[in-house]
Amino acid sequence: MKRLNLLLGAALIAAGMTSCKTDTEQMAEQNIDRYESYVDSISRLDATERTSNWEAIDAEYNARLAEAEAALADAKDSQNAETRINDSKTEYENVKTETQNTVKETQGNALIVSYFGPNNMVGSDLNFDWVNKDNILSVYQNFVDTFEKNKDTYSREDFDQIKVWYEALDARKNTVEKEGLSSEDNNAIAKLKLEFAPKFKWERMTAKGEENKEAKEEAAE
């Protein structure tokens, strides 16, 4: 009787261990499934929804990824589970790159609009033919005012882009001067340029210095 009880006890323990192992495997499978499903759901979102909620999406993704990777040790088929996770990682990185490019494009367009208005989307060809003797002073004035208002929010890339636009606008001014630009407007533009140039140089240099410092601090961590 005692032996039978011992055998039954051993069987119950073994069954309990098997059940726990099965539950653990099921939990691992669920976590990996949740991770895959989340990545799939992100892929199905439209670009606008992704970009407007990207920080929350990325935070949730990292939490789901951590769960899935922690589940690898308990997965019944760890090799297959790892392949599934890696495939979803690749899918997510593709979506992330696409989203970041969309964000940059959106921000770039917003920057253009802030400097030149919605009807003058300056492209890579830097075409400023729309600037003439009648509107060039207002273009310069808006350029200087916009910079003054937003200079503390610009990245190094923004400063570089603004520099390119400013130099192209100056080149256009040389042409406009020959097309009848009034001396009054010309003098007003010269005053704006005198105000803008040193301020822009300082802000751009400071922004680059801060970004280099941050990059060094991140590399040291």
Side-chain angles (χ1 to χ4, degrees):
M1 185 69 175
K2 184 176 180 180
R3 178 177 173 78
L4 179 59
N5 286 338
L6 287 172
L7 290 173
L8 287 173
L12 287 171
I13 291 172
M17 290 175 66
T18 302
S19 175
C20 289
K21 181 62 177 176
T22 300
D23 289 345
T24 302
E25 288 176 351
Q26 288 178 344
M27 181 63 71
E29 183 70 21
Q30 287 174 4
N31 285 342
I32 294 170
D33 284 345
R34 274 162 47 90
Y35 169 68
E36 282 186 311
S37 296
Y38 185 71
V39 173
D40 287 342
S41 69
I42 295 169
S43 300
R44 289 194 295 270
L45 291 175
D46 62 55
T48 301
E49 192 169 2
R50 280 203 305 264
T51 53
S52 60
N53 298 285
W54 185 252
E55 288 187 8
I57 288 172
D58 194 49
E60 180 67 17
Y61 167 81
N62 287 320
R64 298 284 179 95
L65 174 61
E67 285 181 350
E69 290 182 331
L72 272 176
D74 299 316
K76 186 173 183 180
D77 186 347
S78 59
Q79 185 173 356
N80 178 60
E82 185 173 11
T83 298
R84 290 166 58 195
I85 290 173
N86 287 337
D87 287 346
S88 290
K89 276 184 182 179
T90 299
E91 181 180 355
Y92 180 79
E93 288 302 320
N94 290 337
V95 171
K96 184 176 182 178
T97 298
E98 179 183 333
T99 303
Q100 289 174 335
N101 289 338
T102 301
V103 169
K104 286 181 180 179
E105 181 180 353
T106 301
Q107 291 174 339
N109 288 340
L111 194 65
I112 294 172
V113 170
S114 69
Y115 276 87
F116 304 115
N119 298 320
N120 301 303
M121 297 296 284
V122 178
S124 58
D125 60 353
L126 299 176
N127 187 335
F128 278 81
D129 288 350
W130 53 275
V131 177
N132 55 54
K133 64 183 181 63
D134 298 317
N135 66 12
I136 190 168
L137 175 56
S138 64
V139 174
Y140 268 100
Q141 185 67 64
N142 184 68
F143 200 101
V144 173
D145 290 345
T146 300
F147 178 78
E148 181 62 32
K149 181 180 178 181
N150 301 295
K151 64 182 187 295
D152 294 332
T153 67
Y154 293 144
S155 67
R156 183 172 63 179
E157 290 76 12
D158 291 335
F159 278 103
D160 291 344
Q161 181 61 72
I162 292 166
K163 181 175 183 290
V164 170
W165 289 336
Y166 183 70
E167 290 173 348
L169 180 58
D170 274 351
R172 177 60 182 169
K173 176 180 175 292
N174 293 334
T175 300
V176 172
E177 284 184 71
K178 301 172 185 176
E179 296 176 348
L181 178 63
S182 70
S183 58
E184 183 179 354
D185 284 357
N186 204 357
N187 289 336
I189 291 171
K191 184 178 179 180
L192 288 172
K193 286 167 60 65
L194 188 63
E195 171 190 342
F196 175 80
K199 187 176 296 184
F200 176 80
K201 183 178 180 180
W202 169 256
E203 294 292 344
R204 182 168 177 256
M205 182 176 63
T206 302
K208 285 193 173 186
E210 289 176 353
E211 287 198 7
N212 289 337
K213 181 181 177 182
E214 290 175 1
K216 288 180 180 178
E217 289 176 350
E218 290 178 1
E221 291 178 355

